[in-house]
Amino acid sequence: MRHALLRAQHRKVAEREGVDLRTSRLEIGLFGAEPWSEAMRREIEARLGLKAIDVYGLSEIMGPGVAVECEAQDGLHGWEDHFLFEIIDPDTGQPVPEGEAGELVITTLTKQALPMIRYRTRDITRVSTARCACGRYHLRLQRITGRNDDMLIIRGVNVYPSQIEAVLIGLEGIAPYYQLVVERRGSLDELTVEIEATSLELACEELENRARHQIKTMIGVTTSVVAKKPGEVPRSQGKAVRVRDLRPKGAA
């Protein structure tokens, strides 16, 4: 959720300075580093008045630019002249059919200094080889939904932090800061979603009920929701830490 955090911080500074970011000369923004939702894209575009383009990369391969969206914003074009892309079942290591979700594996084809063979990214996505509306035939990666080592299993339901984010973004009265707290109670794992109200005047119980209902409806998992006052959810200066796993060691 780094995009939302930075956007919120910059917007506050801009508002204090009397600047409307939507009137800037920026037309296109490239956003990467962490999974983000379509809801977040819409909010970024509305708040900043630009077209938000998804870009994918990782330092082990070459950094940003391994795949990037075109103007159609319908998947990220992977540069197949430099990389070989595979999607595998993260448990068995076997390839999955086109269109099914799995772990992205990349082999570098032209890199000389540090070539990588079948590098497991841990990122979960789907691929499509159909021609894009822009006319290109490059394989397209669908939006990264999360990492298989970030996935939580709560009472038999697979949950990624990015799914929770997609539900929370756009809910009125809820700031773009949250944490997921996982605890073991008896023989079951319990998930608590800590959210933050945008104002002290808002009723926390109402926010909690609304967020709990939306999470259950959209993801199918029952959670506890705790609404905190503005500024109470911990901030991160680097990569956002979204999960606090309080389960006994070895219980995950």
Side-chain angles (χ1 to χ4, degrees):
M1 209 173 192
R2 183 185 298 175
H3 315 290
L5 303 184
L6 291 175
R7 187 259 306 147
Q9 292 165 0
H10 293 168
R11 190 177 74 248
K12 289 179 181 178
V13 173
E15 288 173 350
R16 287 199 301 267
E17 298 294 328
V19 177
D20 185 351
L21 295 177
R22 293 170 297 180
T23 63
S24 78
R25 298 176 63 184
L26 294 176
E27 297 180 3
I28 296 175
L30 295 178
F31 298 86
E34 293 183 8
W36 54 310
S37 63
E38 191 61 31
M40 181 179 288
R41 186 213 296 275
R42 291 194 298 269
E43 184 169 354
I44 290 173
E45 291 183 334
R47 297 283 188 178
L48 299 184
L50 49 69
K51 194 163 190 173
I53 299 296
D54 199 0
V55 59
Y56 176 78
L58 56 166
S59 57
E60 296 88 346
I61 301 300
M62 74 165 230
V66 174
V68 65
E69 282 184 324
C70 64
E71 60 272 21
Q73 295 177 302
D74 186 23
L76 296 90
H77 292 279
W79 302 122
E80 294 182 274
D81 40 354
H82 297 292
F83 310 105
L84 173 66
F85 300 92
E86 302 174 77
I87 303 294
I88 66 169
D89 183 311
D91 296 322
T92 67
Q94 296 301 307
V96 302
E98 180 175 333
E100 288 191 13
E103 180 183 341
L104 176 63
V105 175
I106 301 176
T107 295
T108 58
L109 302 178
T110 59
K111 191 177 181 183
Q112 297 182 29
L114 185 63
M116 304 295 286
I117 299 176
R118 302 203 75 214
Y119 179 79
R120 296 188 61 167
T121 67
R122 303 294 180 185
D123 292 324
I124 302 298
T125 185
R126 296 178 172 85
V127 299
S128 171
T129 58
R131 184 180 183 182
C132 179
C134 73
R136 296 180 178 89
Y137 283 95
H138 283 89
L139 168 149
R140 279 175 291 152
L141 305 177
Q142 300 306 307
R143 184 182 300 278
I144 303 296
T145 57
R147 293 176 52 86
N148 59 18
D149 49 2
D150 284 344
M151 186 182 74
L152 303 171
I153 302 177
I154 306 297
R155 301 193 178 192
V157 179
N158 295 346
V159 180
Y160 291 99
S162 58
Q163 291 177 295
I164 300 291
E165 171 195 303
V167 172
L168 297 178
I169 287 291
L171 287 182
E172 187 177 354
I174 297 178
Y177 307 97
Y178 73 97
Q179 276 200 335
L180 309 182
V181 181
V182 188
E183 299 175 277
R184 174 64 55 85
R185 296 174 185 169
S187 59
L188 297 175
D189 290 336
E190 300 285 348
L191 176 62
T192 299
V193 181
E194 295 181 348
I195 62 176
E196 186 176 296
T198 57
S199 170
L200 288 171
E201 287 72 35
L202 293 172
C204 288
E205 185 176 355
E206 180 183 345
L207 294 181
E208 292 168 352
N209 290 337
R210 193 189 322 155
R212 186 184 306 110
H213 174 74
Q214 285 294 101
I215 292 171
K216 177 64 175 179
T217 301
M218 303 301 295
I219 303 177
V221 63
T222 300
T223 68
S224 298
V225 177
V226 176
K228 297 193 170 186
K229 297 177 182 178
E232 287 190 344
V233 172
R235 273 45 168 175
S236 175
Q237 296 302 316
K239 194 170 181 68
V241 178
R242 288 298 167 205
V243 179
R244 292 170 53 208
D245 194 337
L246 304 182
R247 292 173 292 185
K249 197 170 183 179

